Structure formats: structure tokens, C-alpha cells
């Protein structure tokens, strides 16, 4: 009989996390008589970024947060963008600042990210927060973990209670997904391998994984032959491809879902896996930011 992997339902786990955060938002409002507030900065009119930003804003409002949208023209100067970030850093009402990436090529993204006050850096991309995530231990209470790997981690925790000693293979080494994912799993005492575009014999590596996290950006790249029977597979990829049946676009992950589901023990779907968790973790980070700012007064 063909194995059919359990579906790790990111949509459901995310809605539970949002509900938990909504309760904490209510408590925060009662205790401090203010509303946790997320400032979202979007430069330009990239359609995918517009969708991400409006979804994040909508969900934040749904759980009782305030959202300030700052939409800037694609031609905005680096200096002006820095001014906006500084203004938000100094605004007592704003608890979390999210600058939607990618930024236009005339702007140095690192400069902008590192201009955000680390205590408001709810994406967890500031060099100080990256460093704290890397050191781990007690510093994890003082940092913000990037939302996508945090979402993947929470889904794994939901499925595997003890990850100690498991071999996790991460495909992709980006600063926003692959590297922080590796740190989170190291913190759980997994044995972690990261593979990337220059890795030789990538399938041999992924076949050793008890956990495989694919964060590549290549539609359906990970095939069933790449996966050890019984492995847990997290698909971070969001790729838009033509759907020949409808003539429209459809979203697929980096994992060939149908094939891999025949060998894996559990797998996240696309859509409905990592995507909703990323947003739920952003809201969690924003509430944490508000609480930390109140405590530091
Ligand atoms: P990046 O482009 O920054 O990184 C991709 C990584 O994949 C790089 O490390 C690259 O290697 C590696 N890679 C590329 N081609 C291959 C290959 N043929 N074999 C092995 N490794 C390869 O992407 P991100 O990390 O930002 O995103 C990855 C995917 O996740 C994308 O599809 C993105 O849309 C999606 N994503 C989804 C989110 C969500 O909320 N669900 C959030 C963020 C991203 P090298 O470093 O050598 O170039």
C-alpha cells in the first residue's frame, strides 16, 4: 500500500497561534491602556509585496492590533527611508517595525534594517538580533526570531515532541530562512546540515535527513527519491507557475508534494503550510515587542 504522509496543517496551527496572541493583545490593552501597534513600510508597488503587506495588516487588525501603513514611492531616496525608520523608532506608539523586502536596488537594505531599533525589529533581521539568535540560550528571550523559520520550527514542534539527535537537512542558506532555521534546530540539539546551490550530490545529503526543510525558490525541485522514508518535510517555497488546466497561475512549493507524500511521514502543503505561520509569528513577535518595551520602562 502506498504511504500517505500526514499533512502538517499550517493554516490550523497558525489560527491557534493567532487566537492565543489575540487573548494576549486583549490583556495587554487592559494592563497598559494602549494598543500594540505594527508599522509596515512598503516601498514601490511590487504586486507580491502588496499582497503580503495587506494580508499582514488585515490579520494584525483582526487580532486587535493597530497597524500604520507607510507606503513610499519606488523612487524614494535612502535618506528619506532612513528618516521614516527613525521617525518610527522614536514614535512611542509604534511597537513593531516591518520594512517589506526586497527594497529597490538603489537602497542598501542592510543599512535600512540595521537602522531599525532592535527592540522594534519584529522581523528579526537586525544584526543584533541575528547575533542573539546565533548565540542562543538565554539571549533567545531578548531577540526576535525571523518569522518564517520560527513558523517552521513551531510546526515541527507541533509534530515532533523531541528533536534531539535528529538529522535536519536544510536546503537554502539565506539570512531570512536557511541560516536562522539551522540555528533554531541546533538549539533543539538536532544535527544540522545546510545544502545550497554549490553543494555536490545534494540528493545524497537530503536522503540522510530525518527532517528536511526546503527553502530554495525552485518549483517542485525536491523529489521523492531525495527523501528518506519516514522523514518530516517542511516546504517553505512559494513559486507561481502556469496551471495548464486553467490557463492561470497557481502556487507550488519547492517540494514535489504528490511524490514526496508517498515516502515522508509528514509534510506541509503549499499553500496552507509555512505561509500562514509566517504571518502568525509576525503578530506574536509584535506582541512580544510591545511587552518588552513596557517592561523596559
Ligand atoms: P533566497 O533566494 O534568498 O535563497 C535561496 C537559497 O536556495 C540559496 O541559499 C541558494 O543557494 C539555494 N539554491 C538555489 N538554487 C538551488 C539549487 N538548485 N540547489 C540547491 N540550493 C539552491 O530565497 P529565500 O530563502 O528568501 O526563499 C526561499 C523560498 O522560500 C522562496 O520560494 C521564497 O518565496 C520562499 N519564502 C516563503 C516564505 C513564506 O512565508 N512561506 C517567506 C520567505 C521565503 P546559494 O546561496 O548558493 O545561492
Amino acid at each position: 500500500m502506498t504511504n500517505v504522509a500526514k499533512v502538517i496543517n499550517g493554516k490550523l496551527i497558525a489560527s491557534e497561534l493567532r487566537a492565543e496572541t489575540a487573548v494576549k493583545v486583549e490583556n495587554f490593552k487592559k494592563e497598559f491602556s494602549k494598543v500594540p501597534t505594527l508599522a509596515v513600510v512598503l516601498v514601490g508597488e511590487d504586486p507580491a509585496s502588496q499582497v503580503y503587506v495587506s494580508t499582514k495588516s488585515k490579520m494584525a487588525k483582526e487580532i486587535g492590533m493597530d497597524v500604520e501603513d507607510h507606503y513610499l514611492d519606488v523612487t524614494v531616496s535612502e535618506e528619506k527611508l532612513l528618516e521614516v525608520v527613525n521617525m518610527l523608532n522614536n514614535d512611542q506608539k509604534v511597537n513593531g517595525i516591518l520594512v517589506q523586502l526586497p527594497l529597490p536596488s538603489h537602497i542598501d537594505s542592510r543599512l535600512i534594517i540595521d537602522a531599525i531599533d532592535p527592540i522594534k525589529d519584529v522581523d528579526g533581521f537586525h544584526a543584533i538580533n541575528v547575533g542573539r539568535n546565533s548565540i542562543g540560550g538565554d539571549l533567545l528571550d531578548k531577540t526576535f526570531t525571523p518569522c518564517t523559520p520560527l513558523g517552521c520550527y513551531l510546526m515541527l514542534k507541533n509534530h515532533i515532541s523531541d528533536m534531539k539527535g535528529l538529522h535536519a537537512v536544510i536546503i537554502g542558506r539565506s539570512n531570512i530562512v536557511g541560516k536562522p532555521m539551522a540555528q533554531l534546530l541546533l538549539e533543539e540539539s538536532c544535527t544540522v546540515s545546510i545544502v545550497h546551490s554549490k553543494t555536490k550530490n545534494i540528493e545524497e545529503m537530503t536522503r540522510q535527513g530525518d527532517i528536511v526543510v526546503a527553502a530554495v525558490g525552485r518549483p517542485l525541485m525536491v523529489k521523492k527519491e531525495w527523501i528518506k522514508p519516514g522523514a518530516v518535510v517542511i516546504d517553505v517555497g512559494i513559486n507561481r507557475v502556469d496551471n495548464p488546466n486553467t490557463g492561470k497561475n497557481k502556487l507550488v512549493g519547492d517540494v514535489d508534494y504528490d511524490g514526496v507524500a508517498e515516502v515522508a511521514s509528514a509534510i506541509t502543503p503549499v499553500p496552507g503550510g509555512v505561509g500562514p505561520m509566517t504571518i502568525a509569528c509576525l503578530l506574536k513577535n509584535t506582541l512580544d515587542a510591545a511587552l518588552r518595551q513596557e517592561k523596559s520602562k
Side-chain angles (χ1 to χ4, degrees), residues 52 148 171-178 195-199 202 214-218 221 226 235-239 254 274-276 278-279:
Y52 293 143
T148 299
I171 316 175
R173 55 173 163 176
S174 71
N175 288 324
I176 64 169
V177 191
V195 299
H196 47 77
S197 70
K198 308 294 182 293
T199 301
I202 196 166
V216 193
R218 305 217 169 239
M221 184 181 87
W226 295 34
D235 189 354
V236 182
I238 300 181
N239 308 289
D254 291 338
V274 177
T278 297
I279 299 180

Side-chain angles (χ1 to χ4, degrees), residues 17-18 21-22 24-26 28-29 32 34-40 56-57 59-61 63-68 92-99 116-124 129 143-147 150 277-295:
L17 179 57
R18 286 200 311 275
T21 309
K24 291 180 184 165
V25 166
E26 251 340 280
F28 180 94
K29 288 178 179 170
F32 301 108
K34 49 173 89 154
V35 185
T37 299
L38 174 67
V40 178
K56 287 167 184 173
S57 298
M59 297 226 162
K61 285 175 193 157
I63 64 157
M65 290 180 174
D66 271 353
V67 181
E68 280 184 11
Q92 293 290 312
K93 181 170 171 6
V94 171
N95 301 113
I97 303 172
L98 179 153
V99 177
I116 298 172
D117 185 338
I119 205 170
K120 296 189 177 185
D121 168 40
V122 286
D123 259 339
N129 287 326
T143 189
F144 296 103
T145 302
C147 307
L150 180 59
M277 284 303 290
T278 297
I279 299 180
C281 289
L282 170 72
L283 306 181
K284 176 194 177 313
N285 281 354
T286 304
L287 191 262
D288 287 348
L291 285 167
R292 280 180 210 170
Q293 286 154 36
E294 283 306 316
K295 279 188 197 141

Side-chain angles (χ1 to χ4, degrees), residues 231-267:
V232 177
V233 178
I234 305 287
D235 189 354
V236 182
I238 300 181
N239 308 289
R240 215 163 262 288
V241 295
D242 291 339
N243 184 346
N245 298 330
T246 62
K248 291 185 181 160
N249 283 334
K250 65 170 181 171
L251 285 185
V252 296
D254 291 338
V255 175
D256 178 13
Y257 184 92
D258 293 338
V260 169
E262 289 176 16
V263 289
S265 64
I267 186 168

Side-chain angles (χ1 to χ4, degrees), residues 82 85-86 89 97 110-118 126:
L82 278 173
V85 169
N86 282 331
N89 281 341
I97 303 172
R110 180 41 59 195
L111 186 80
I112 302 300
I113 290 165
D114 284 345
I116 298 172
D117 185 338
H126 190 291

